[in-house]
Amino acid sequence: MTSDPLALDAATMRALGYRTVDLLVDRLLDPSTPPIRRAAPSELRPRLAGPPPAAGEPFDAILEQLERDVLRFTSRGDHPGFLAFVPFSGTWPGALGDLVASACNVYAGSWMESAGPSQVELEVLGWFRDWIDYPTGAAGVLVSGGSAANMTALACARETLAGPMSTDLVVYVSDQAHSSVARAARALGFRPEQVRVLPVDDDLRLDPSTLAAAMDADVRRGRRPLFVSASAGATNTGAVDPLPELAAVCRERVWLHADAAYGGFAVLTERGRVALGGLELADSVTLDPHKWLHQPYECGCLLVRDGRHLRAAFAITPDYLRDAAAADGEVNFADLGLQLTREWRALKVWLSVRYFGVDAFRAAINRSLDVAALARERVERSDRLELAAPPSLGIVCFRRRVADVPDEAERERVHRGLAAALERSGIGLVSTTRLRGEHVLRICVLGHATGPAHVERVLEFLEQAEPDAVVDGRPPYARDPDVRIGWLARPEADATAMRRIPLFRALSDEEAARVAEQAEPAEAVTGETVVEQWSASRDFFVLLEGTVDVLVEGVRVRELGPGDFFGELAALDWGAGYGYPRLASVVATSPLRLLVFRDGALNELVRTLPSVEREIRAAVRERLGRR
């Protein structure tokens, strides 16, 4: 008899464990489970609502409800037809590692309390370091995922190169960078004007000359370039930025971070090592074992080339922790990142890699690359599908051929409808995305159970199926590009005048009046620079009278006149309040009258007015494509 109200005897512990494992094995091996089952809140609330019980309930009854009302309504990333987002296809030894770590409730923050687990983490980090050809002086830390790793990298870079936060520091990312970089910048206090979102080239990679020009412009204005986040396998397309060339631009003055959360472990293969050439040149690298190393969530990693920087950036030892301070040769992982309380993430990796061997993981990655290559060939052979971007590292972006559908909103409805129809069929799951403002379909071949037949079946469905109806309330709209508006004589913009501007023609009176309230009249003289390239302003302009030249690095690329607009790229929100810098200068070639929508106003117009969104998205596609 024990007085511990939460204790269980050995027989009961084993019985509960066996029962739970039986449920999990049955679920994981059930071929009838689709890639995803959704449920509305109105369906789940009646199933699960209610106060907690005062007395305990039978474990079998709890497991039965868990299976019926909870696990049933989830996505299943290990399904061979799950090709959406980034499939999360774990391994059973990894799951058992989590069970051991949780059952023993290991605190993995200090060597004093977890010498064995800390050494296991050091061994795992050593594997990763060797795989990407980092030097022996590199150090790292396992974190929850790529988002935490990217934030840790940015904080480490700032502390190493600049110290306290300063308003003159600048961060650079491409428009294909992961949204977590923007989230990290915002959380660490970087203002919108301190983050440069740069356009990519035709292969969706960050051009080193674009980066160099942006940094040089900032230096001339008294700003300090601090941090560049390069994609080493972009989540959107798998694209890999030219890492050696970017490293040359950044050398000795700017921290180069490689976000390899998606693609990093492809270095285990010959093809991946070639694609990721130069990864070892980065000052820090994000990896995600819960992606292409097939570990259960959560498991991310940050490696820093000069490992001393990690401890210098994060180690803080208050009086109540001095007993646990690391002695010579010991490592307290709580001193290398944001978390003091840390779970033991390394065990799942250690168990999985030791059980299967590195060759098994290498074979799984090669299989994914082979299947993605077959998917590319299948799309290229099709008369109804076509590639939308160069495939890379297991990701293939493509579109349904809709040449007879000129309207982008309608093309979006087609692709969203096809994705919805595929989900309803239970065959598979794909996601959609935007590339240069164009809506496309996207498959990611990462699950270790996915083979050629699974992808072939999904592509055949998307090739032949009729889209499901997807209603989004967008009205039909046709723009007349020849309408000119120089007649708008009065400085004030009212609803009637706004509706005579091509961009706003489809608005109702009420909508036009709302837009007019946000517009400010402005004028400029001949020769005046309205917008300067690489500046951080985010106003949006509509030309009422006069003409302007658009200049990129001093070269005239186009002329705009009455009814045209400019500044939309910088004014649109890329993520977390950050956006492009000015990618061109705009200079008046005659006296101008304009309407100005101040910082943030365009995002509201795009969000609430579908016809305006279509026009702006079309301009983004056309103008980014011509850079």
Side-chain angles (χ1 to χ4, degrees):
M1 187 69 177
T2 177
S3 60
D4 184 349
L6 301 179
L8 296 175
D9 60 74
T12 301
M13 292 170 70
R14 289 190 172 92
L16 298 186
Y18 296 151
R19 179 72 183 84
T20 302
V21 168
D22 285 344
L23 180 151
L24 294 174
V25 172
D26 289 345
R27 173 176 171 77
L28 291 173
L29 298 182
D30 182 1
S32 67
T33 305
I36 190 171
R37 282 197 184 103
R38 304 193 194 212
S42 59
E43 180 180 0
L44 290 180
R45 277 194 297 268
R47 290 172 179 259
L48 296 167
E57 299 176 357
F59 195 68
D60 280 353
I62 299 170
L63 287 183
E64 181 182 352
Q65 186 180 30
L66 173 65
E67 185 175 19
R68 182 186 68 242
D69 298 336
V70 180
L71 294 179
R72 175 181 175 83
F73 302 108
T74 62
S75 57
R76 181 175 171 178
D78 61 333
H79 188 287
F82 192 106
L83 304 171
F85 314 117
V86 177
F88 44 100
S89 183
T91 59
W92 185 245
L96 295 179
D98 272 347
L99 174 62
V100 172
S102 295
C104 295
N105 204 21
V106 172
Y107 167 67
S110 73
W111 187 276
M112 172 186 174
E113 295 183 72
S114 57
S118 295
Q119 187 61 45
V120 166
E121 186 160 346
L122 287 172
E123 294 302 314
V124 167
L125 291 167
W127 296 345
F128 296 171
R129 180 197 64 213
D130 293 344
W131 291 348
I132 69 168
D133 293 331
Y134 249 19
T136 56
V141 62
L142 294 182
V143 294
S144 59
S147 296
N150 287 337
M151 178 177 286
T152 306
L154 179 54
C156 183
R158 188 182 70 186
E159 190 64 26
T160 301
L161 298 181
M165 187 61 191
S166 175
T167 58
D168 62 350
L169 301 175
V170 185
V171 172
Y172 304 85
V173 300
S174 85
D175 59 17
Q176 296 300 302
H178 194 271
S179 60
S180 63
V181 181
R183 186 181 298 113
R186 181 170 64 183
L188 291 170
F190 289 86
R191 304 298 303 160
E193 63 273 12
Q194 293 179 264
V195 176
R196 302 282 182 269
V197 182
L198 303 176
V200 291
D201 62 18
D202 291 341
D203 291 328
L204 302 172
R205 308 196 315 160
L206 178 59
D207 189 325
S209 64
T210 300
L211 174 63
M215 290 199 301
D216 289 344
D218 279 324
V219 170
R220 289 195 299 270
R221 293 180 173 87
R223 302 187 182 100
R224 287 189 289 169
L226 172 74
F227 182 92
V228 174
S229 181
S231 294
T235 304
N236 212 20
T237 64
V240 180
D241 290 335
L243 299 173
E245 293 83 356
L246 293 177
V249 173
C250 295
R251 188 171 292 126
E252 296 182 0
R253 62 169 178 166
V254 178
W255 185 288
L256 176 63
H257 173 66
D259 183 356
Y262 169 71
F265 286 108
V267 296
L268 290 174
T269 71
E270 287 301 318
R271 284 172 289 181
R273 182 166 290 275
V274 171
L276 293 163
L279 188 62
E280 73 281 359
L281 301 175
D283 295 292
S284 56
V285 176
T286 285
L287 300 167
D288 256 6
H290 63 218
K291 292 187 172 71
W292 236 338
L293 206 61
H294 303 298
Q295 299 307 305
Y297 292 140
E298 301 169 344
C299 194
C301 174
L302 176 70
L303 294 175
V304 176
R305 165 178 274 277
D306 186 340
R308 296 171 298 178
H309 295 324
L310 264 181
R311 193 178 192 285
F314 294 104
I316 297 176
T317 306
D319 290 341
Y320 57 82
L321 290 179
R322 293 196 179 278
D323 291 346
D328 288 345
E330 299 177 350
V331 174
N332 285 353
F333 281 102
D335 291 341
L336 305 183
L338 299 169
Q339 286 184 276
L340 177 59
T341 301
R342 302 177 72 248
E343 61 180 308
W344 187 18
R345 298 184 178 96
L347 179 59
K348 61 182 115 184
V349 182
W350 190 73
L351 281 178
S352 296
V353 173
R354 292 195 60 187
Y355 181 81
F356 289 111
V358 176
D359 285 348
F361 288 94
R362 182 177 292 113
I365 296 169
N366 268 320
R367 173 184 165 97
S368 292
L369 294 174
D370 289 341
V371 173
L374 291 174
R376 171 183 185 160
E377 295 170 6
R378 174 68 173 79
V379 170
E380 289 178 328
R381 291 196 311 270
S382 174
D383 59 358
R384 302 199 72 187
L385 303 176
E386 61 182 352
L387 292 175
S392 179
L393 294 181
I395 296 178
V396 183
C397 293
F398 60 101
R399 62 176 75 85
R400 179 86 162 253
R401 293 183 188 271
V402 283
D404 57 336
V405 182
D407 180 61
E408 171 60 20
E410 181 58 31
R411 290 196 293 269
E412 178 177 344
R413 277 193 284 268
V414 169
H415 288 138
R416 291 174 58 203
L418 286 171
L422 177 66
E423 178 184 329
R424 185 168 49 82
S425 76
I427 293 173
L429 193 71
V430 300
S431 52
T432 66
T433 188
R434 287 188 183 276
L435 298 178
R436 298 187 183 280
E438 181 182 1
H439 198 267
V440 300
L441 295 162
R442 173 188 173 279
I443 64 172
C444 179
V445 184
L446 185 137
H448 52 76
T450 300
H454 304 111
V455 173
E456 168 65 31
R457 192 178 180 199
V458 166
L459 291 176
E460 182 178 7
F461 182 95
L462 295 172
E463 188 178 48
Q464 303 298 331
E466 291 300 320
D468 277 3
V470 178
V471 179
D472 62 4
R474 294 183 174 186
Y477 175 63
R479 177 176 184 260
D480 180 356
D482 297 323
V483 174
R484 300 177 69 83
I485 55 170
W487 52 265
L488 188 58
R490 57 181 181 272
E492 299 81 8
D494 61 17
T496 301
M498 296 303 298
R499 294 186 66 216
R500 291 174 180 166
I501 298 172
L503 178 60
F504 304 123
R505 171 170 292 187
L507 303 183
S508 67
D509 288 341
E510 180 182 352
E511 291 170 333
R514 180 153 48 91
V515 172
E517 290 177 356
Q518 301 183 59
E520 299 178 15
E523 296 180 351
V525 299
T526 302
E528 181 176 343
T529 299
V530 182
V531 167
E532 184 177 0
Q533 187 176 11
W534 303 121
S535 64
S537 63
R538 301 189 65 189
D539 296 341
F540 172 64
F541 302 87
V542 177
L543 269 171
L544 302 181
E545 291 180 353
T547 56
V548 299
D549 278 346
V550 181
L551 310 173
V552 176
E553 303 299 340
V555 178
R556 182 177 182 271
V557 296
R558 69 181 66 90
E559 181 184 62
L560 302 177
D564 290 324
F565 53 82
F566 58 91
E568 73 287 342
L569 290 171
L572 285 174
D573 183 27
W574 174 79
Y578 303 115
Y580 291 99
R582 298 297 187 183
L583 301 181
S585 295
V586 179
V587 178
T589 53
S590 69
L592 302 182
R593 295 186 55 254
L594 312 101
L595 293 178
V596 183
F597 294 84
R598 297 300 180 189
D599 186 4
L602 181 61
N603 288 299
E604 179 66 14
L605 298 182
V606 167
R607 187 181 67 82
T608 58
L609 302 173
S611 64
V612 174
E613 180 191 18
R614 282 197 293 273
E615 290 292 296
I616 296 299
R617 298 288 183 198
V620 168
R621 289 194 301 276
E622 189 268 338
R623 292 173 184 179
L624 277 179
R626 289 172 58 180
R627 278 192 52 79

